[in-house]
Amino acid sequence: GGTCSRFPNKSGIAALERQIFDFLGYQWVPILANFLHIMAVILGIFGTIQYRSKYLIMYAVWLVLWVGWNAFIICFYLEVGHLSQDRDFIMTFNTSLHRSWWMENGPGCLVTPVMNSNLAPEDHHVITVTGCLLDYQYIEVVSSAMQIFLALFGFVYACYVSKVFMEEEDSFDFIGGFDSYGYQAPQKTSHLQLQPLYT
């Protein structure tokens, strides 16, 4: 059981790492999605350890949704179609102007506050970010691509292991392990016939 559960662990660790950076950037929608993913990973680990194929199937179904969500994030940050980071604040439920944490904290980024700017809404400040080795959009895209990659392996893993578990359950049923008819002990038959005694 221990070796089988290693793969969902890796997926869970990657989701926790992502959850931390989404918290730092006040990205509420990804935080919620990451939380659901972590719960699904726990379900997958439990299903593996307890030999429950139904939990692994539920984990596999979630991974399909997870791949779709991460594909949407990639499209969002690359502004595919009508998506726009400047107009759509989907990641924060449209409650704030916060962006990805990596926008200001990416590798090599130099943040300069713009003083006395009339562009800043109340309780916000305007900054310029320069010198980034990799723009935050691409960091988010790479992170989502990695999640998709792990999810595809997780899907194959969950399908294979659940199939093995179901085959083991079927073979155990065949030899009478979980006999739905119940076990009945063989009845002793006597060849001795009793005759009434007349005196």
Side-chain angles (χ1 to χ4, degrees):
T3 54
C4 289
S5 62
R6 283 182 188 166
F7 192 85
N9 284 341
K10 290 178 183 170
S11 181
I13 290 168
L16 277 174
E17 167 266 325
R18 186 173 183 179
Q19 183 77 312
I20 291 167
F21 291 116
D22 285 338
F23 259 117
L24 292 171
Y26 303 103
Q27 303 292 293
W28 303 119
V29 177
I31 287 168
L32 181 62
N34 293 334
F35 176 76
L36 292 174
H37 183 62
I38 291 166
M39 292 297 102
V41 168
I42 291 170
L43 192 70
I45 292 170
F46 181 77
T48 303
I49 293 171
Q50 295 295 317
Y51 301 99
R52 305 275 176 103
S53 56
K54 288 178 186 174
Y55 292 150
L56 285 168
I57 291 167
M58 289 168 63
Y59 174 62
V61 169
W62 167 256
L63 288 177
V64 172
L65 299 173
W66 185 243
V67 166
W69 166 249
N70 282 283
F72 170 76
I73 290 178
I74 290 172
C75 292
F76 178 77
Y77 281 107
L78 294 179
E79 298 189 338
V80 174
H82 296 290
L83 294 170
S84 169
Q85 294 177 57
D86 296 325
R87 187 185 69 244
D88 301 322
F89 294 99
I90 300 167
M91 299 301 170
T92 61
F93 284 123
N94 289 328
T95 58
S96 74
L97 299 176
H98 285 101
R99 302 288 181 91
S100 168
W101 181 81
W102 294 107
M103 182 178 184
E104 298 177 34
N105 300 284
C109 291
L110 179 65
V111 178
T112 310
V114 177
M115 300 299 178
N116 303 322
S117 173
N118 296 327
L119 297 173
E122 196 175 328
D123 297 333
H124 283 74
H125 60 277
V126 175
I127 58 169
T128 58
V129 182
T130 55
C132 296
L133 298 175
L134 189 62
D135 286 340
Y136 74 96
Q137 298 97 315
Y138 302 117
I139 294 174
E140 292 287 357
V141 165
V142 167
S143 175
S144 290
M146 186 181 77
Q147 291 291 332
I148 290 173
F149 181 73
L150 287 171
L152 293 175
F153 272 103
F155 182 81
V156 171
Y157 161 86
C159 291
Y160 173 74
V161 174
S162 63
K163 180 177 179 285
V164 168
F165 288 171
M166 284 191 281
E167 285 174 358
E168 285 178 3
E169 287 172 9
D170 290 343
S171 66
F172 199 62
D173 285 347
F174 180 73
I175 61 171
F178 294 118
D179 192 357
S180 58
Y181 301 110
Y183 176 74
Q184 294 181 348
Q187 296 180 352
K188 292 183 180 178
T189 56
S190 176
H191 296 289
L192 202 68
Q193 204 167 14
L194 296 174
Q195 299 288 337
L197 183 64
Y198 300 103
T199 53

